[in-house]
Amino acid sequence: MVNHYTATAKTLHWLMAVLLFGLLALGFYMHDLPLSPDKLKLYSWHKWAGVTAFLLVLVRLAWRLGHRPPPLPASMSKSMQFAAHAGHLALYGLMLAIPLSGWLMSSAKGFQTVWFGVLPIPDLLDKNKEVGDLLQTVHLGLNLLFVVTLLGHIGAALKHHFIDRDDILTRMLPAHAKEN
Ligand code: HEM
């Protein structure tokens, strides 16, 4: 039984981890800044990186559908295995829903996203202040849920490594890479 992730799965996992931590940090930081040209520039970078994260998660899901991950260790109880799968499903759902809510929010607020200043992304909604404000709250709420889910994800990985002493964490690390 193959017991490691492919190099593609690992690359997508760690690339997205860096990008998503950056997006979370930038999102919370820029929100409280006073209005200025610098703030607007940071908003643009946040939106460009967010659209990139959305595209990457689509690639990742397409890859995942064709490549089953290695099985969880038999030492894990059925309920823990269920919790692990549910956690991963929640992470995928949030990785799709968060950028989508940001895109919808920007559309409703009347600020079209132009990806890296080059590629205009179509607005999904007509301009509407109430809807824009509601979507801003949705974007924030989903992000708070994401932070909690991520803490659970990271906590579980560390527990597997330091307490259960299985290979759940190491099989996602680069040194474990064997094939694509
Ligand atoms: C996975 C991708 C994304 C993550 C993790 C993320 C995260 C965040 C966070 C944490 C905030 C701060 C929320 C607050 O304090 O109110 C925020 C704000 C914001 N995000 Fe995102 N975001 C993502 C994608 C996007 C996308 C794709 C867009 C638009 C195309 C976008 C547009 C915005 C805007 C405009 C704000 C500022 C809201 C305001 O303060 O008016 N985000 N984001």
Side-chain angles (χ1 to χ4, degrees):
M1 183 69 72
V2 181
N3 197 27
H4 58 86
Y5 285 92
T6 61
T8 308
K10 289 177 193 183
T11 306
L12 284 167
H13 177 275
W14 292 111
L15 193 64
M16 290 202 67
V18 171
L19 190 60
L20 294 172
F21 273 111
L23 273 159
L24 282 169
L26 179 57
F28 286 123
Y29 169 73
M30 69 186 195
H31 175 73
D32 292 326
L33 293 175
L35 188 60
S36 72
D38 280 349
K39 173 168 174 153
L40 297 181
K41 193 80 228 161
L42 291 179
Y43 269 48
S44 292
W45 275 100
H46 178 84
K47 288 163 67 167
W48 301 340
V51 170
T52 309
F54 186 59
L55 295 175
L56 276 175
V57 78
L58 294 182
V59 170
R60 189 168 173 190
L61 275 172
W63 174 265
R64 172 71 174 74
L65 288 177
H67 299 79
R68 287 181 72 83
L72 293 169
S75 55
M76 277 175 78
S77 66
K78 285 277 170 263
S79 55
M80 288 316 273
Q81 297 205 12
F82 177 80
H85 291 309
H88 295 156
L89 198 65
L91 285 171
Y92 277 117
L94 288 164
M95 286 191 293
L96 283 170
I98 292 171
L100 209 51
S101 65
W103 181 6
L104 287 166
M105 177 215 324
S106 291
S107 303
K109 287 192 176 228
F111 297 108
Q112 193 188 15
T113 305
V114 184
W115 200 37
F116 291 98
V118 180
L119 186 71
I121 311 285
D123 277 336
L124 298 177
L125 294 173
D126 290 334
K127 189 171 174 182
N128 180 319
K129 185 172 168 2
E130 283 79 45
V131 175
D133 289 346
L134 176 68
L135 285 163
Q136 185 180 339
T137 308
V138 170
H139 194 60
L140 170 64
L142 290 173
N143 271 297
L144 295 177
L145 198 58
F146 190 45
V147 170
V148 173
T149 315
L150 275 179
L151 288 176
H153 181 66
I154 297 166
L158 294 177
K159 174 189 175 284
H160 277 284
H161 189 68
F162 291 108
I163 298 176
D164 304 335
R165 296 186 179 277
D166 57 29
D167 69 347
I168 286 279
L169 175 61
T170 50
R171 70 187 191 170
M172 187 47 103
L173 297 180
H176 226 244
K178 290 206 175 77
E179 60 202 46
N180 71 359

